[in-house]
Amino acid sequence: MINKQKLDSIKNAPNGFCLAKWYQVTIDLSRGYTHSCHHPMRHKIPVEEIIKDPSALHNTHFKMLQRKLMLDGIRPPECDYCWKIEDTAGDHLSDRFIKSTDNWAYDLLDETLKSPWDKKISPTYVEVIFSSDCNLNCAYCMADVSSSIESEMQKFGPYPVTSNQHRMPREKAIKENNPYVTAFWLWFPEMVKTLRVFRITGGEPLLSKETFKVLDYLIDHPAPNLSLAINTNLSYSSTQLQKLISQVKVLFAHKAIKAFSIYTSLDGFDDQASYIRKGLDLNKFKANISLITDSLPESEIILMCTYNILSITSFKDLLDWIVEQKNAGKRITLDISYLKEPEYLRANLADDSLKSKMNDDLEYMKTLKQFSQYEINKYDRIVSWVNTKTADPFKFVYQADFYTFINEFDKRFKSNFSALFPGHKKFYRSCMKSYLWKKIYSLGNK
């Protein structure tokens, strides 16, 4: 539970202020991008900046300008993920409150408010992407963080949508002589001294040799105050996971880290989850969950749900499965965020029947004692956002693009959306009508 006194203190800071802009960073070393936190769009790290100072992997000039806006009481436009939550009717905590009051940030509040906007910051929460190599092809993901999607786009080309070509690669990954990886290893020995959380993501981190290089470094250079985390899709043979488990056991034995967590993802359940996350093997996923909890009982599993329009009809089944895991003694926390992009997969496209399902699921979740108030609140704010009656002039376009995307997705992967998502039947038909009207409108304007 977040301390109200802490929240009030943050609210007394300049409007739009968020400590994540200073102390949390996700760095894509495979292509040279960064953002703080993970919600804003990634921006390019200028090579000339990291040559002068490797900490520019985090402290880019662009990011420092966003910090200046926050200190001046101005909401940075790139942080609109939280503004949407905060501007929704009712009392809702956005991620900037949650992050700013976390134990890796809050005690630095006073110091940060007094610091100049262009001060070089040593982050306390770091995520790195060493490689975009990935064995999954998720519907809402993009080529820049999944080699499987990159291969798909090379084979088939862009989707025939109008609103967002999110799956197209912006640039190729740097495979050799990568200046960003070089800068990371120059900076890491110094950066790790102040780190509280270090999280390796991807791609699939277990496919990268750099992941195991980090573990070896920490075995040789203990960081006893560090919480280590790995993002992994857990949809692979357990032999791949055993190597990770073995090294983590050594880290614990040497007291080289404070804690270890696994971050993994399910955005629905059963066949619908496998549709959203192509390549997901739910049986292997479940087996690997058990392997982790049996082998590393001191570890925690954070199950992330990127809640989107396809999550709605199997979300209750996901809740029931998590309850089973919690009842079996597994330390699993459900962490739900709404999908921001692409727009045509957002949950707020839901029609009344799907909204009704969401409302029912929220009330059901509230009856389950296994879920904390934190977990419930994360879903509550998404439901409130979806139920907000605001006119979106582009909703018609997004619905048409949903229909276009799903049909092309089915064609490429030889799947059948209508058969797997019967609860979306009415919504799908509505999107088809939007597609036809859009097509008629386009022909009429030629």
Side-chain angles (χ1 to χ4, degrees):
M1 178 64 68
I2 297 173
N3 187 292
K4 187 178 186 300
Q5 185 178 358
K6 289 184 178 182
L7 280 183
D8 290 342
S9 180
I10 293 292
K11 288 179 179 178
N12 291 332
N15 180 46
F17 184 82
C18 178
L19 282 166
K21 192 65 71 184
W22 277 258
Y23 299 104
Q24 185 180 44
V25 58
T26 300
I27 311 167
D28 180 356
L29 297 171
S30 71
R31 287 173 171 81
Y33 283 83
T34 185
H35 53 173
S36 295
C37 59
H38 64 284
H39 292 312
M41 291 290 291
R42 306 185 306 163
H43 64 275
K44 188 71 175 180
I45 305 168
V47 174
E48 59 271 20
E49 291 188 23
I50 59 170
I51 290 174
K52 292 179 181 178
D53 179 5
S55 81
L57 290 171
H58 172 45
N59 296 299
T60 61
H61 182 66
F62 171 84
K63 196 181 295 184
M64 288 192 285
L65 289 176
Q66 309 311 303
R67 295 172 189 163
K68 185 177 188 301
L69 288 176
M70 287 187 170
L71 289 171
D72 291 341
I74 301 170
R75 287 177 163 187
E78 70 164 7
C79 299
D80 64 334
Y81 181 98
C82 284
W83 314 145
K84 286 184 173 70
I85 295 296
E86 293 180 31
D87 294 340
T88 298
D91 188 17
H92 303 288
L93 295 178
S94 71
D95 276 1
R96 78 180 179 101
F97 289 124
I98 294 172
K99 290 173 181 287
S100 294
T101 55
D102 214 325
N103 56 17
W104 50 263
Y106 183 71
D107 62 322
L108 299 164
L109 173 62
D110 292 337
E111 174 188 337
T112 306
L113 289 172
K114 296 173 184 176
S115 299
W117 64 271
D118 56 352
K119 178 183 177 181
K120 301 294 178 65
I121 299 297
S122 185
T124 55
Y125 190 122
V126 173
E127 294 182 354
V128 295
I129 300 171
F130 288 116
S131 169
S132 58
D133 289 347
C134 187
N135 55 320
L136 296 193
N137 188 319
C138 303
Y140 55 78
C141 197
M142 56 187 182
D144 286 359
V145 292
S146 171
S147 58
S148 294
I149 296 177
E150 186 175 21
S151 297
E152 175 209 338
M153 304 313 285
Q154 289 173 350
K155 181 178 180 180
F156 295 105
Y159 281 75
V161 296
T162 56
S163 59
N164 188 341
Q165 288 292 347
H166 77 288
R167 290 171 76 81
M168 287 297 290
R170 287 187 288 185
E171 58 188 82
K172 291 184 178 180
I174 305 169
K175 297 294 186 181
E176 297 179 1
N177 302 317
N178 186 325
Y180 301 102
V181 173
T182 300
F184 171 83
W185 284 111
L186 287 172
W187 185 35
F188 187 65
E190 186 64 29
M191 175 240 292
V192 75
K193 295 176 183 177
T194 60
L195 267 184
R196 300 178 187 179
V197 180
F198 185 67
R199 185 170 162 185
I200 305 174
T201 183
E204 171 48 55
L206 268 62
L207 298 179
S208 171
K209 64 180 181 180
E210 301 292 340
T211 296
F212 298 97
K213 185 177 176 180
V214 167
L215 300 180
D216 288 337
Y217 181 90
L218 292 173
I219 290 172
D220 294 335
H221 304 84
N225 295 318
L226 179 68
S227 293
L228 177 66
I230 304 285
N231 278 33
T232 174
N233 59 52
L234 296 180
S235 190
Y236 43 72
S237 167
S238 61
T239 55
Q240 291 175 268
L241 189 58
Q242 287 285 9
K243 183 179 179 182
L244 172 66
I245 290 172
S246 297
Q247 285 187 283
V248 173
K249 284 183 175 181
V250 174
L251 287 169
F252 275 129
H254 291 185
K255 297 183 179 179
I257 57 172
K258 178 182 178 181
F260 178 71
S261 300
I262 285 284
Y263 283 76
T264 192
S265 298
L266 278 181
D267 310 309
F269 204 65
D270 284 337
D271 291 341
Q272 293 190 10
S274 298
Y275 183 95
I276 299 168
R277 299 174 62 79
K278 294 294 185 187
L280 170 68
D281 186 321
L282 202 56
N283 289 327
K284 288 181 179 178
F285 180 93
K286 292 177 180 178
N288 284 332
I289 289 281
S290 295
L291 178 61
I292 293 166
T293 54
D294 292 343
S295 304
L296 299 169
E298 60 272 77
S299 66
E300 183 181 8
I301 296 175
I302 294 86
L303 198 156
M304 301 176 291
C305 175
T306 304
Y307 196 90
N308 60 83
I309 191 69
L310 303 178
S311 303
I312 299 173
T313 49
S314 65
F315 185 69
K316 182 177 179 295
D317 294 331
L318 175 60
L319 294 178
D320 288 339
W321 179 76
I322 294 173
V323 166
E324 290 177 9
Q325 304 310 300
K326 288 177 179 264
N327 287 343
K330 294 181 172 65
R331 295 178 61 198
I332 295 182
T333 299
L334 177 60
D335 189 15
I336 316 170
S337 297
Y338 76 83
L339 178 72
K340 180 181 176 182
E341 292 180 339
E343 298 89 341
Y344 49 81
L345 293 180
R346 284 182 184 172
N348 69 341
L349 289 181
D351 59 18
D352 288 343
S353 64
L354 293 177
K355 288 180 182 179
S356 178
K357 177 70 167 62
M358 291 181 66
N359 292 329
D360 290 344
D361 288 347
L362 177 59
E363 293 308 310
Y364 176 67
M365 189 179 186
K366 289 177 179 178
T367 69
L368 300 172
K369 62 182 181 181
Q370 292 85 352
F371 289 103
S372 67
Q373 195 59 49
Y374 168 84
E375 293 170 297
I376 294 170
N377 287 345
K378 293 275 278 190
Y379 188 50
D380 188 9
R381 69 183 192 176
I382 294 175
V383 175
S384 297
W385 170 63
V386 170
N387 284 328
T388 300
K389 297 185 181 299
T390 55
D392 187 341
F394 297 104
K395 186 174 182 179
F396 165 81
V397 176
Y398 299 155
Q399 287 181 328
D401 278 349
F402 174 86
Y403 178 81
T404 301
F405 175 81
I406 288 297
N407 283 292
E408 180 65 20
F409 196 64
D410 277 351
K411 179 180 177 182
R412 294 183 182 192
F413 293 99
K414 297 179 173 58
S415 51
N416 188 328
F417 172 80
S418 296
L420 290 174
F421 291 82
H424 283 68
K425 184 176 181 180
K426 183 179 177 181
F427 172 75
Y428 180 77
R429 286 181 175 176
S430 177
C431 291
M432 180 177 64
K433 289 179 181 178
S434 294
Y435 166 79
L436 293 173
W437 278 113
K438 179 173 170 287
K439 190 172 184 180
I440 291 170
Y441 177 82
S442 299
L443 290 172
N445 281 274
K446 284 187 177 181

